[in-house]
Amino acid sequence: MNKLFGREKKEKLKNAAHINLGGVYVLGVMYCILMVVLIAVQANVRYTIRADRLTLLPREELAKLKTEQTERMDDTFRTDSPDTHKDTLLVIEDGDAGSEKAQKLYIPVFSQMKIAYDVCTAETLEPGMIREYDKIVLAITHYPLLADTIADLKVWVKQGGNLMIAYPPEVSGSYQTLYEILGIKDSGDTTLVEGLHFDKNFMIGGIAKDYYIIDAYDCSLGLSITDDCEVYIRSTDEYSVPLVWRRKAGEGTIVVDNFGILEKAYRGIHCAAYSLLGDYCIYPVINGAAFYIDDFPSPVPGGDGQYITRDYNMSISDFYSQVWWNDIYELAKKHNIYYTGLVIEDYSNQVSGEFVRNREIRRFQYFGNMLLRSGGEIGIHGYNHMPLVLENFDYKDQYDAYIQWPSVEDMRNSLNEVFDFTHDLFKDEELLVYVPPSNVLSEEGRKLLNETSIRSVAAVYLSTDMAFEQEFDVSGDGMINCPRITSGCVIDDYMELAALSELNLHFVNTHFVHPDDVLDEDRGARLGWAKLYKNLCNYYDWLYKVCPKLRNMTGTELAAAVEHYDLVGVNREFTDDRLTLKLDNFNGENWMLFRVNNGKKLLRVRGGGFDEVADGLYLIRCAKDEVELEIYK
Ligand SMILES: [Zn+2]
């Protein structure tokens, strides 16, 4: 449908007027109807499909709340603040590489789970301190450092303490003295773990399949354990090794995390292991899934169209409108997904001067309006695909085609142009989400975004060379960080495990769809679109099979969910059969994952609702700032 069609119709109507006046009347009415339809198509009418979109707090208010929270947290986590009771003690070893890796993993995990913790070194741990804590996590390699306290730790466990071994340590006489309570019969050398097999349905998605490890290495201890250990995860290898187990020891519990890969992509495994300590563990989560489409809408992407010609015998442009978009659209419909498309106005190399308006807008209108009508959102990627970095930025010879911007002013001018361009096309869109081209963004560029309508930056969760790495959180200036975890149509073992991990740590999934996968051999173009699409379908099918409760969201809605998650303060009061949550900064709703151990069950929730998402793991909806969970013993 286009304006030309309207003009042709008009010509025909003119001719008709000479022939029959009654016919003119009928044709006139038809013409008016046709014009109304054409105007509706061109006018970017936004059809809101869902009423209950989450909304963002005003930027200044959010920045203020975040600053206050950071000050409060600094106070709480100050080791010299004796008045706040902390549940967990993390014992570390100074100068040891293994312990440092573990700290880099567990400290953000505890902070994000909003677990109050103290940190002390193995040398400064004193017998008198042990009794102060409910849970102690040993993140050390050399257990002889605990020579003075190991006997007290054992007594404390038997009297009700909960002890976790955070990663496989060096086997020593001191470590072996713990074997009696850890349930270890015998230990050998470090051993290869090629994959994870879940013996118990304790993590979301765990038992759906086995998960394999890319670039596997010797990351656990080969050992045999006693029959009274409950194994949750073991290796997939022929002679499998227990990787996570739990054991009752007297009144207390033991958790051994014998899975030594302590990287960000595996956080959820270690978080789940920690949650097995004691009777209960509850922590706030995001509850959201968002799907971002790279360079969409944009001019027809350049690239190698040979696999499109091979399989479809059509132009790149026709392939996108006739094949690719139909498939992606159908997939969204099947799972009720609301895509967030990121606009590129022009594939130029321009980084200075006047940024000329792209007048070729038919593709933008066609795809953009389809996206909006299916409940999606439009955000900004850039005037062109040049990342917002100045000449002080080092591309380390990795992006030969990229040119740095000469000045902040030039970057600003290009942003002004793409915002104006996009506003003209999609008048109801607020343009709140930004994805940096090639995931590269400088501090200068990031600051500039604060001058625009952008409220959320969606870069990457897992670090690669020079990518802008983020956590799911709010920055001090009120910008909301919603990193993308997985991407593309070739979902490898690493991405699968990262997706599994994040469902269990943050109850979140974020995926980046690249329309040009089919033009890029490195991203699987040779496989052909049919196969790439099948991969994507399988990934989505897996996600919604293992996690049907996950809420689908646009980028802005996810930002609002991250805002709720990040701002909330959690006060927990446990009694035998009851847990009372008191929430600070409550803003209408919050979500939690609640682990109940020792065969207990959640009976009812006052002030909210719940769903069991794995055995003994509940998704809790908090509808009030005070929520009471009643547990059946
Ligand atoms: Zn892009």
Side-chain angles (χ1 to χ4, degrees), residues 294-295 344 381 385 437-438 512:
D294 190 19
D295 298 23
I344 289 280
H381 204 29
H385 216 279
S438 301
F512 202 35

Side-chain angles (χ1 to χ4, degrees), residues 538-593:
N538 289 343
Y539 180 54
Y540 288 19
D541 287 345
W542 167 83
L543 179 64
Y544 294 102
K545 185 177 152 236
V546 303
C547 205
K549 293 291 166 192
L550 195 62
R551 296 182 299 176
N552 281 324
M553 298 180 154
T554 61
T556 295
E557 287 175 298
L558 184 73
V562 169
E563 176 192 293
H564 285 227
Y565 149 80
D566 189 43
L567 286 184
V568 73
V570 188
N571 303 289
R572 307 157 169 94
E573 286 169 20
F574 290 99
T575 60
D576 245 12
D577 58 354
R578 207 167 294 266
L579 160 63
T580 308
L581 290 177
K582 289 178 181 161
L583 308 180
D584 299 329
N585 282 336
F586 179 76
N587 184 20
E589 64 151 46
N590 271 107
W591 298 83
M592 306 270 162
L593 278 178

Side-chain angles (χ1 to χ4, degrees), residues 114 138 194 213 243 309 367 374 392 410 420 447 487 555:
K114 318 241 169 172
L138 297 178
E194 288 189 292
I213 290 163
L243 296 176
T309 314
F367 288 124
S374 61
N392 59 10
D410 290 307
D420 280 354
K447 249 171 95 183
S487 67

